Amino acid sequence: MADLEISTLHASLTDRALNSMNFLNEISHHYPEAISLAAGRPTEEFFDLDDIPRYLSRFAAHLRERGLDEPTVRRTILQYGRTKGIVHELVSRNLAVDEDIHVAPEAIVVTAGCQEAMLLTLRALRADATDVLLAIAPAYVGITGAARVVDLPMLPVPDLDELLAVVKAARADGLRPRGFYVMPDFANPSGRRLDLATRHRLLEIAAAEDLLLLEDNPYGLFPAAGVDRLPTLKALDTERRVVYLGSFAKTGLPGARVGYVVADQTVSTGGLFADELSKLKSMVTVNTSPIAQAVIGGKLLDCDFSLTAANQREREIYADNLRVLTDGLAARFPGGEISWTVPSGGFFVVVTVPFAVDDALLTKSAREYGVLWTPMSHFYDTDAPVNALRLSCSAVTPAELQVGLDRLAAFITDQLVLST
Amino acid sequence: MADLEISTLHASLTDRALNSMNFLNEISHHYPEAISLAAGRPTEEFFDLDDIPRYLSRFAAHLRERGLDEPTVRRTILQYGRTKGIVHELVSRNLAVDEDIHVAPEAIVVTAGCQEAMLLTLRALRADATDVLLAIAPAYVGITGAARVVDLPMLPVPDLDELLAVVKAARADGLRPRGFYVMPDFANPSGRRLDLATRHRLLEIAAAEDLLLLEDNPYGLFPAAGVDRLPTLKALDTERRVVYLGSFAKTGLPGARVGYVVADQTVSTGGLFADELSKLKSMVTVNTSPIAQAVIGGKLLDCDFSLTAANQREREIYADNLRVLTDGLAARFPGGEISWTVPSGGFFVVVTVPFAVDDALLTKSAREYGVLWTPMSHFYDTDAPVNALRLSCSAVTPAELQVGLDRLAAFITDQLVLST
């Protein structure tokens, strides 16, 4: 007999979202030789272990320049530290430079990756069983999972045009929509970005309906070749309707696990929403590793706060790969048997096929064809079959991409035969 | 009007535990010149920024010795990584060497500090509104806060002799006691340690009542001078009744924010409890910064897995300070006006006084006497007045301790006059 019955543990542990993440991790470990068009990890092309001491030294020098004595410099990096973080001022400057977002450092909570920023925000916003979170379907698995962990139900919004209707229907059902989670730039998994008019419209709805927008922006610095960036929701936000979820995993260094949340909303207690999130953080992770923060802080100082400039080479890699991916699909499927998105940036392309794509097919693709991808069904909160899969082009070389596409084409072609 | 009403946010945000932590942090920032007998931080005596690149190099060399090629070494330290961590094998060896605890590396989840280990464990164990956590009162604020964040009520156990009665009473009330949180070695805040017979008795109760013991052990390596260590509950645990919460904050480096949980319990799904905690972790922090893990991994390799050996100097400092503290109290209060504990190790002494000790008194002590300490009321989950305060001796020199004690004696003496 087992020591613990799963039925006596928290319901999220049997939920699709948490097991989905687990399954996807496991399959990639199980087929290490397969080419992965599944992983959304950043390129490892420029990884350099020597960067870490270099960034640490840069950050320590910055502390000295600010007048801190040696014991205080050492304490800042090596001791327990401020719950809201030690690189908040540097993050604030980076947001001004890269995003034209102007917020007080005190409105920023530095987190153990963007995932903790999501978790803290959803935990704060879930007061009772009537609270719900809205999100575009398909949605990033990380937000669905974080919502499950804090017992916050999610209502899918199939299309932005329906947002208002979903809000009103939820209210009619006695529910309290707390926020709308959205990735306006090159979303995971859809690859879509919202046009400027839609961004303004979203802010209008947020104001009219007294709704927070939870803006997640991991991919904004990576538009496709020739595509200009659009302002983030937070840059357009004049009424503090946007909670901005920030990540350095793709633009800084994933191994630092440093993210942040901008929460400049005022709270009736007199402080900022960031201060409430900080209280929660003190009971979740106490503070974000100051060593890890110093690495990111050093990188921000090193690039004079412009991660856009620091990621020029990465941007070109992703833009090239995205072109190779969509051109490669066009070359291999000239006849219209399948369709795919041609995103204006980011890491992800969605391929629609005339058959349901499930985990069994992924396992078959990995085992028999040597190529990994992600069933789009993982990004929906229902058991309904989904005829689509997500391809990622961030963690492969163009040559691997070509081989991966050959394998994928063979797999899809075989499936097309089987499904007719 | 504020953007957010506090009443619409999660109840933990108005809870004593979360605001207590906040208040204690704020007062120490507000009176930086005061001598702090409040902070439970480890000594900064041996902090050295050069340790970080040294430990990182040591860990990278270890990966190479294990046959990993350079891209894989870089990826292991700089990329997203395994949810359960990358230093689990090293932690397992450290537990064998320092604690005579023998567990499979797969039963370990490396966490963003021990606080995340607590949060994940409590989240997993809270399935519905009948679940409760038991803990000795006074209890560490971090466990109370984590319980609040996951909506898990805590039942105080005033004395270990009453544990069984509290369990039975809870069951009679339709509640389900999920675990008993305990710090058997030099507990925060009481300073107490459990004798060997009590440890065995606790394991017997856990077996008889089908209760998990959540053992937290941040101070075990720091017995007072001449005191021998006792085996941890986990070292005595033959039936997987103990979930072991581990911290490197005091024995490794606080700035790494690396902790772990040993959860070798089997679950009816076929895996280990550690695997369920890992699923939750993927939605809380994704993974613990591998850079931070590499720092701790390098330190573990550097000391050949014996943190006992690596912390010999620290142990002497804490033991000396503890003696200075208790001797200093005896010298200043020879007449029995107040009493205090003489712990057999750790950082904390509890002083009992004939007046209620609250936050207003702490503020007065900080402002007028220049000495900080912690009201014991912060460690109880009720509003009842508590006539005691906690002193910590870990983050001060013996000279500072003497000055701090002079100031504390002046403060207490004045209060004794006022209260008579």
Side-chain angles (χ1 to χ4, degrees):
Chain A
M1 203 185 93
D3 302 326
L4 290 165
E5 271 298 318
I6 188 75
S7 61
T8 69
L9 302 179
H10 189 247
S12 66
L13 289 167
T14 50
D15 187 85
R16 309 171 47 91
L18 274 73
N19 289 286
S20 161
M21 190 72 108
N22 222 40
F23 169 79
L24 296 173
N25 284 336
E26 272 176 17
I27 197 160
S28 66
H29 286 123
H30 208 72
Y31 299 98
E33 300 304 312
I35 287 180
S36 179
L37 304 179
R41 296 176 309 192
T43 177
E44 295 165 5
E45 184 94 19
F46 310 111
F47 277 3
D48 183 349
L49 287 176
D50 292 336
D51 279 347
I52 302 181
R54 193 165 61 82
Y55 291 147
L56 282 169
S57 296
R58 185 74 186 80
F59 183 72
H62 161 76
L63 296 179
R64 289 182 198 110
E65 284 158 22
R66 292 187 47 186
L68 273 60
D69 62 16
E70 279 309 302
T72 310
V73 171
R74 286 198 294 271
R75 177 181 306 129
T76 302
I77 298 177
L78 300 178
Q79 186 57 279
Y80 283 100
R82 184 173 173 273
T83 307
K84 290 204 284 182
I86 60 170
V87 296
H88 51 305
E89 292 172 8
L90 307 183
V91 172
S92 167
R93 292 179 68 175
N94 164 243
L95 283 169
V97 168
D98 274 336
E99 306 288 351
D100 201 22
I101 293 174
H102 303 274
V103 286
E106 285 299 326
I108 294 169
V109 182
V110 183
T111 52
C114 188
Q115 187 66 38
E116 192 194 22
M118 292 190 225
L119 184 93
L120 299 176
T121 305
L122 299 190
R123 171 71 303 177
L125 291 176
R126 199 281 192 192
D128 66 42
T130 66
D131 292 316
V132 290
L133 175 70
L134 309 183
I136 287 280
Y140 173 50
V141 151
I143 194 74
T144 312
R148 289 292 183 278
V149 168
V150 302
D151 302 313
L152 179 64
M154 264 178 57
L155 290 185
V157 178
D159 189 284
L160 271 184
D161 290 342
E162 297 172 52
L163 173 60
L164 209 52
V166 174
V167 169
K168 288 182 191 299
R171 292 209 170 118
D173 287 344
L175 301 175
R176 181 163 60 168
R178 298 310 308 263
F180 175 59
Y181 170 84
V182 60
M183 241 188 245
D185 287 287
F186 326 125
N188 180 3
S190 72
R192 276 195 212 135
R193 84 159 161 179
L194 307 183
D195 62 27
L196 188 58
T198 304
R199 292 172 195 234
H200 283 293
R201 171 98 183 98
L202 259 184
L203 285 161
E204 284 163 22
I205 293 174
E209 297 296 322
D210 195 18
L211 202 66
L212 285 175
L213 301 177
L214 312 186
E215 178 178 34
D216 189 6
N217 184 25
Y219 310 107
L221 292 197
F222 305 119
V227 174
D228 285 331
R229 296 189 57 204
L230 290 176
T232 62
L233 293 170
K234 189 66 190 164
L236 301 170
D237 177 30
T238 55
E239 295 182 19
R240 300 185 303 273
R241 296 287 175 191
V242 179
V243 174
Y244 184 85
L245 302 159
S247 169
F248 292 116
K250 279 81 185 180
T251 57
L253 200 54
R257 291 300 305 141
V258 174
Y260 60 94
V261 51
V262 178
D264 57 356
Q265 290 71 28
T266 57
V267 179
S268 56
T269 47
L272 296 175
F273 191 36
D275 298 311
E276 302 299 325
L277 298 180
S278 174
K279 283 189 216 165
L280 289 171
K281 180 171 172 66
S282 72
M283 297 305 170
V284 174
T285 57
V286 178
N287 61 297
T288 303
S289 164
I291 295 172
Q293 290 186 73
V295 169
I296 294 298
K299 179 160 185 172
L300 291 174
L301 290 158
D302 196 55
C303 68
D304 210 13
F305 305 105
S306 174
L307 289 174
T308 308
N311 282 278
Q312 206 44 52
R313 298 178 304 180
E314 286 82 354
R315 177 183 168 176
E316 283 168 24
I317 285 177
Y318 300 139
D320 286 349
N321 282 359
L322 204 52
R323 195 183 39 74
V324 168
L325 179 52
T326 50
D327 287 359
L329 286 166
R332 286 167 181 84
F333 294 98
E337 312 92 319
I338 65 170
S339 65
W340 55 88
T341 58
V342 181
S344 51
F347 294 1
F348 306 113
V349 167
V350 177
V351 179
T352 301
V353 293
F355 51 84
V357 179
D358 59 15
D359 290 351
L361 275 196
L362 170 56
T363 304
K364 182 179 179 182
S365 174
R367 193 179 55 229
E368 297 176 23
Y369 297 84
V371 63
L372 293 164
W373 35 264
T374 310
M376 282 294 287
S377 57
H378 283 268
F379 303 102
Y380 291 90
D381 207 16
T382 71
D383 289 323
V386 180
N387 292 9
L389 55 93
R390 188 197 75 175
L391 302 179
S392 173
C393 65
S394 57
V396 281
T397 63
E400 288 167 338
L401 204 41
Q402 295 291 3
V403 178
L405 280 169
D406 285 341
R407 296 178 181 181
L408 180 74
F411 165 75
I412 290 179
T413 304
D414 288 353
Q415 287 310 118
L416 288 171
V417 171
L418 287 173
S419 67
T420 51
Chain B
M1 203 186 92
D3 301 326
L4 290 165
E5 271 299 317
I6 189 74
S7 62
T8 69
L9 301 179
H10 189 247
S12 65
L13 290 166
T14 50
D15 187 85
R16 312 171 44 92
L18 274 74
N19 289 286
S20 160
M21 190 72 106
N22 222 41
F23 169 78
L24 296 172
N25 283 335
E26 271 175 18
I27 197 159
S28 66
H29 286 124
H30 207 72
Y31 298 98
E33 300 305 313
I35 287 180
S36 179
L37 304 179
R41 298 175 309 192
T43 176
E44 295 165 4
E45 184 94 19
F46 310 111
F47 277 3
D48 183 349
L49 287 176
D50 292 336
D51 279 347
I52 302 182
R54 193 164 63 80
Y55 291 147
L56 282 169
S57 296
R58 186 72 185 79
F59 183 73
H62 162 76
L63 296 179
R64 288 182 199 110
E65 285 158 21
R66 292 188 46 187
L68 273 60
D69 62 17
E70 278 309 303
T72 310
V73 171
R74 286 198 294 271
R75 178 182 306 129
T76 302
I77 298 177
L78 300 177
Q79 185 58 278
Y80 284 101
R82 184 173 173 274
T83 308
K84 290 203 283 181
I86 59 170
V87 296
H88 50 306
E89 292 174 6
L90 307 183
V91 172
S92 167
R93 292 179 67 176
N94 164 243
L95 283 169
V97 169
D98 274 337
E99 305 289 351
D100 201 20
I101 293 174
H102 302 276
V103 286
E106 285 299 326
I108 295 169
V109 183
V110 183
T111 52
C114 188
Q115 187 66 37
E116 192 194 21
M118 292 190 225
L119 183 93
L120 298 176
T121 304
L122 298 191
R123 171 71 302 178
L125 292 176
R126 199 281 192 192
D128 66 41
T130 66
D131 292 317
V132 290
L133 175 69
L134 309 184
I136 287 281
Y140 173 51
V141 155
I143 194 74
T144 312
R148 289 293 184 277
V149 168
V150 301
D151 302 312
L152 179 63
M154 263 176 59
L155 290 186
V157 179
D159 188 285
L160 271 183
D161 290 341
E162 297 174 52
L163 174 59
L164 208 53
V166 174
V167 170
K168 288 182 192 301
R171 291 207 171 117
D173 286 345
L175 300 175
R176 181 162 61 168
R178 299 308 309 265
F180 174 59
Y181 170 85
V182 61
M183 240 188 245
D185 288 287
F186 325 125
N188 181 4
S190 71
R192 276 197 212 136
R193 84 160 162 178
L194 308 183
D195 62 27
L196 188 58
T198 304
R199 291 172 198 236
H200 283 294
R201 171 98 183 102
L202 260 184
L203 285 161
E204 284 162 22
I205 294 175
E209 296 296 320
D210 195 18
L211 202 65
L212 284 175
L213 301 178
L214 312 185
E215 178 178 33
D216 189 5
N217 184 25
Y219 310 107
L221 292 196
F222 305 118
V227 174
D228 286 331
R229 296 190 56 206
L230 290 175
T232 61
L233 292 171
K234 190 65 191 164
L236 301 170
D237 177 30
T238 55
E239 296 182 17
R240 300 186 302 274
R241 296 287 174 191
V242 179
V243 174
Y244 184 85
L245 302 160
S247 169
F248 292 115
K250 279 82 186 180
T251 57
L253 200 54
R257 290 302 305 141
V258 174
Y260 61 94
V261 50
V262 178
D264 57 355
Q265 290 71 28
T266 58
V267 179
S268 57
T269 47
L272 296 175
F273 191 36
D275 298 311
E276 302 300 325
L277 298 181
S278 174
K279 284 189 215 166
L280 290 171
K281 179 171 173 65
S282 73
M283 297 305 170
V284 174
T285 57
V286 179
N287 61 295
T288 303
S289 164
I291 295 172
Q293 290 186 72
V295 170
I296 294 298
K299 179 159 185 173
L300 289 174
L301 290 158
D302 196 53
C303 68
D304 209 13
F305 305 105
S306 174
L307 289 173
T308 307
N311 282 279
Q312 205 44 52
R313 298 178 304 181
E314 287 82 353
R315 177 184 168 176
E316 282 168 24
I317 285 178
Y318 300 140
D320 286 350
N321 281 1
L322 204 52
R323 195 184 38 74
V324 169
L325 180 50
T326 50
D327 287 358
L329 286 166
R332 286 166 181 85
F333 293 98
E337 311 92 320
I338 65 171
S339 65
W340 55 89
T341 58
V342 181
S344 50
F347 295 1
F348 306 113
V349 167
V350 177
V351 179
T352 301
V353 293
F355 50 85
V357 179
D358 59 16
D359 289 351
L361 275 195
L362 170 57
T363 304
K364 182 179 179 183
S365 174
R367 193 180 55 229
E368 297 176 24
Y369 297 84
V371 61
L372 292 165
W373 35 264
T374 311
M376 281 295 287
S377 57
H378 283 267
F379 304 102
Y380 291 90
D381 207 16
T382 71
D383 289 323
V386 181
N387 291 11
L389 54 92
R390 189 197 73 176
L391 302 179
S392 173
C393 64
S394 57
V396 280
T397 63
E400 287 167 340
L401 204 42
Q402 296 291 4
V403 178
L405 280 169
D406 285 341
R407 295 178 181 181
L408 180 75
F411 165 75
I412 290 179
T413 304
D414 289 352
Q415 287 309 118
L416 288 172
V417 172
L418 287 174
S419 66
T420 52

